[in-house]
Structure formats: structure tokens, C-alpha cells
Amino acid sequence: MKRLFFLLIFLTAPFLSSARSELLLDLEGGKVQELDRLLEDSKKGTEPAQTQYYLALKDLYAGDLENAQSRLIGISSAAYTYTDWLKNYLQEVVLIRSQMEEASSEHFVLRAKADELFLAEYALPALENAYEQIGKDLGVFPKEKISVEIYAEESNFSSASTLSKETLDRSGAIGICKFRRLMILSPRQMAIGYRWLDTLAHELTHYLVNAASGGKCPLWLHEGIAKYLETRWRLEHPVYLTSGNRTLLARAAQEGSLVPFARMAPSMVYLKDQTEIGLAFSQVSHAIDYAVQDHHVSLHNLLLKFDSETADAAFHNAFGMSVGEFEVQWKKFLVAQNLTQSEGAMPDRIRLGKRVDEVEEFVSTNLRGHIRLGDRFRQRNNPEMAIIEYQKALAKEPSNPVALT
């Protein structure tokens, strides 16, 4: 999620010009031609430290973190202050990676702590399916092996992703595609887990979108495609809206409280809270469905245009209208659809931590009496009476996840 967050970090650094930001976009898209040119220029000059910095940057995006770190040893931060952040980052992630073990498949190398490496038995087949299915949808099949990292602790995921703990807790971010690596937080860190295989497919989609667009796909479109296609590894026709997210989207459409596409940049993690972020994801994935089904847009052709044209020109050439005009049309389509609402359904929400009171967290006050009474019957080995209470709860909110469970 949130490929542009790292750009904000770099953009605040004093050394980074607009040319450097373009370089980082190229690297996210797997294009190293400009970096190679800068390397050649630096080798001809009298600044060996600059050459080592560019080589370290190239190693970082190639996944060779240890070599990237070694290249920066001895470079004077007083003369090259832009290396400080990279030095600190590499110092942390190299240590974290040293505590991981590897498993691999044809197109992926997965790293996790030894006691979580069994997750590779599920992750690698799912990722290979995603590689084929989403790759076919986007017309992109990378030849390099793609790095995948599963972090057992929130602090390690925070360091590797560059997302602060405050940002993680507020936004619910548990996955990211950055530095050409797919990174997720272990499902063990959530009281009831999460759809982590879909999250891996989501981050792989970001990787493929970057490759197709040269790293230049607009944020709202980037996230919309990733959300729209995240279930393609397991479903022929993607399901991108859960009943809870569909309800959230339907209510926002009726109330006129949709999030403008422009507010989603530079990253959705800066939106107000998980509810607003969930609404934004629901919007953009629905908009992609509208683009594909009603405008018959080829996502592959659209992404290729971003690599050779400005974002506005690429979008206009594909749709025959501006992004603003498309957003207006999509909103009208959404309202006319009159999406069904599922009473009691909960939108996606991430709660970090091993313990959670599911009744307090996911059950409205209207149902709590039935759920708690049903729980007491169940604990006293009276399942027949427990079922009666749970059914009363479901009669009021047929999609409530706790009552359904």
C-alpha cells in the first residue's frame, strides 16, 4: 500500500531535486538507465563518494542490502548529508534481515523468521498464481525474482516500511511495496488475523503497476487497480468489495461524503482514519471496475501510456476525458447503482495486538445482549439456547461478523 510514502521522505531531504525524484520513480519501475548514466558521469568526475552513493542506491533496489550498506562506509556525511538517512535505514534493515530465513519459488524469494517460515507454504503458491493471473491482466511478467518479506514484529515492519508506529496504528497499514520489495506484517500480530494472502497479491499488483507505468501511475489509480485485482490469484472474477465496504460506499454515496480522488495523494495513509481510508479504497476499486466494464479500458495499455506521456495526457487518451470529468461520471454511475447495504456488516479494519474484545469492537449495542447471553449458554454447554440468541442477533443484523461466527 502506499508506494508514494517513501517519496515524501526523500523529497524532504535537502539534496533531492526534481530530477532525483524522477530517478526514484524510475527505480520503483525497474528502470536503471538514468541511474547508470549518473554513475558514468560521477565516475568521470572527482567525487568517488557520489559514485558509491549511486551504487548503493542501485543495490538497494536490487535487494542487495548488505552490499548497499558496505558501499556507504566511510562516506562523509558532512560532505554528503543525503547519505545519512540511507545509512540509518540500511543499518536497521540489514540487522532485521539477518534474523530471517529464506524460501523461494520460480519468481519469488520469501524471507521470514524461522518460526514463521512455514507461511511460505501458503504464500509462494498464492504469489505464483497472482503472478500469472494479475500479470496476464496487466501484461507484465517480471523476469527478476521478487523479494517478499514477512515481519514478525510491528517495530521491524515500521523500520523496513519507513511508516511510523503512529501511522501504522491510525491507518491500519499492514503491507507495502517499496524499494521493489513486498513487505507485510505477520498475521500473528492481529488478534484474529487478516487476509494476508490477498494483501501479498495487492502489493504484488503495485509492483507490476510500477513496472508497467515506469513508476508514474497516479496514486488513486494505483491503489484502485491493486484493490480491484487483489483476489485474482484465487477468483476468476475479482471480488473487491466485502459486504462491509460495500455498505460503507453505499452510505457515502447517498450522503455525499465520498473522498475526492485528489485528497488521496500523496498516500492514503494520510487520510483521517481507517474508516476514511477504507472508503477511499472502496471508491477507487469500484471506479476501476467501472472503467473496465463500462469504458472497456485496457489497464495494460493505460499503464504503458503513463511511462511515455504526462499523467493527464495518458488518462485523456485512454478515456477521452480528464480525471475530473471521469470522477464526476463515476459518481453519477455509483449513485444510480444504489448499492445494497448489509445491516451489521463491518468495513475492513485492522487492530494490532494479540487481544481484542470482539463484542465491544464489532457488535452494536443493539445486539450485545443477545451475543453475551448466547456466549453464556454456550459456555454452560447449552448450544441449543445459544443458537437461539445468536439467531435473534442475526435477525437484527444479518451480516454482523460476530453473530455469523
Side-chain angles (χ1 to χ4, degrees), residues 38-330:
L38 290 170
L39 273 168
E40 287 302 314
D41 289 346
S42 66
K43 288 174 183 176
K44 295 173 186 175
T46 58
E47 301 291 350
Q50 189 177 59
T51 299
Q52 290 304 306
Y53 171 76
Y54 287 138
L55 287 170
L57 202 58
K58 191 171 184 177
D59 287 337
L60 169 65
Y61 280 90
D64 192 348
L65 306 184
E66 294 84 356
N67 208 40
Q69 184 184 36
S70 67
R71 291 189 188 280
L72 297 180
I73 295 173
I75 295 181
S76 170
S77 59
Y80 300 97
T81 55
Y82 55 81
T83 63
D84 283 349
W85 184 91
L86 188 54
K87 278 183 176 181
N88 292 334
Y89 176 78
L90 289 168
Q91 182 177 0
E92 288 190 70
V93 294
V94 167
L95 177 60
I96 294 168
R97 181 178 280 191
S98 70
Q99 300 164 358
M100 292 175 155
E101 295 188 6
E102 290 186 7
S104 63
S105 62
E106 183 179 359
H107 300 105
F108 299 91
V109 176
L110 184 145
R111 297 178 179 88
K113 279 195 169 180
D115 63 345
E116 294 200 337
L117 196 62
F118 73 92
L119 293 173
E121 297 177 23
Y122 305 92
L124 292 176
L127 283 165
E128 290 293 346
N129 284 344
Y131 179 91
E132 292 299 325
Q133 298 305 322
I134 301 174
K136 183 168 58 179
D137 291 340
L138 299 182
V140 184
F141 296 96
K143 291 182 173 57
E144 70 277 4
K145 280 205 172 189
I146 301 170
S147 290
V148 182
E149 296 165 354
I150 300 177
Y151 292 93
E153 290 88 27
E154 182 186 8
S155 59
N156 287 348
F157 177 67
S158 174
S159 296
S161 68
T162 73
L163 299 173
S164 69
K165 186 179 186 305
E166 183 279 327
T167 299
L168 294 178
D169 292 341
R170 179 179 49 77
S171 68
I174 33 72
I176 197 166
C177 174
K178 183 184 292 191
F179 306 127
R180 292 179 68 74
R181 307 198 320 267
L182 315 185
M183 298 177 263
I184 67 165
L185 186 60
S186 168
R188 182 186 289 179
Q189 290 299 308
M190 264 60 74
I192 52 177
Y194 69 100
R195 291 189 297 276
W196 63 282
L197 293 177
D198 287 352
T199 298
L200 280 175
H202 182 105
E203 302 310 331
L204 174 61
T205 306
H206 280 306
Y207 189 100
L208 300 178
V209 168
N210 276 331
S213 68
K216 296 171 184 173
C217 179
L219 187 282
W220 72 268
L221 192 64
H222 218 296
E223 293 291 2
I225 294 171
K227 187 65 179 174
Y228 179 66
L229 292 177
E230 68 182 24
T231 60
R232 275 287 282 127
W233 70 273
R234 57 186 174 89
L235 297 171
E236 180 180 357
H237 302 291
V239 175
Y240 57 92
L241 287 178
T242 63
S243 58
N245 287 348
R246 186 184 64 247
T247 298
L248 185 67
L249 181 59
R251 287 176 181 164
Q254 288 181 356
E255 297 167 359
S257 57
L258 296 168
V259 181
F261 290 174
R263 271 195 61 215
M264 300 178 191
S267 172
M268 287 189 184
V269 297
Y270 296 116
L271 295 176
K272 183 173 63 175
D273 52 28
Q274 288 196 43
T275 298
E276 190 169 62
I277 291 169
L279 173 59
F281 272 112
S282 301
Q283 288 180 213
V284 293
S285 55
H286 188 276
I288 296 300
D289 191 26
Y290 171 61
V292 171
Q293 303 299 334
D294 286 64
H295 286 268
H296 308 291
V297 168
S298 162
L299 294 177
H300 173 58
N301 292 337
L302 173 61
L303 292 173
L304 288 179
K305 292 179 186 297
F306 288 118
D307 196 20
S308 57
E309 305 174 21
T310 66
D312 289 341
F315 194 90
H316 198 282
N317 287 341
F319 287 88
M321 66 183 84
S322 68
V323 173
E325 291 168 333
F326 172 80
E327 188 173 3
V328 169
Q329 286 199 14
W330 164 74

Side-chain angles (χ1 to χ4, degrees), residues 251 341-345 363-371 388-400 403:
R251 287 176 181 164
Q341 298 187 34
S342 301
E343 202 62 39
V363 177
S364 68
T365 55
N366 195 34
L367 303 191
R368 287 178 188 173
H370 296 303
I371 297 295
I388 290 173
E389 291 301 322
Y390 297 145
Q391 286 175 336
K392 289 179 182 177
L394 281 176
K396 294 179 179 179
E397 294 185 3
S399 297
N400 183 275

Side-chain angles (χ1 to χ4, degrees), residues 326-343:
F326 172 80
E327 188 173 3
V328 169
Q329 286 199 14
W330 164 74
K331 285 181 180 178
K332 290 179 180 176
F333 172 78
L334 173 63
V335 172
Q337 263 199 316
N338 194 25
L339 294 176
T340 58
Q341 298 187 34
S342 301
E343 202 62 39

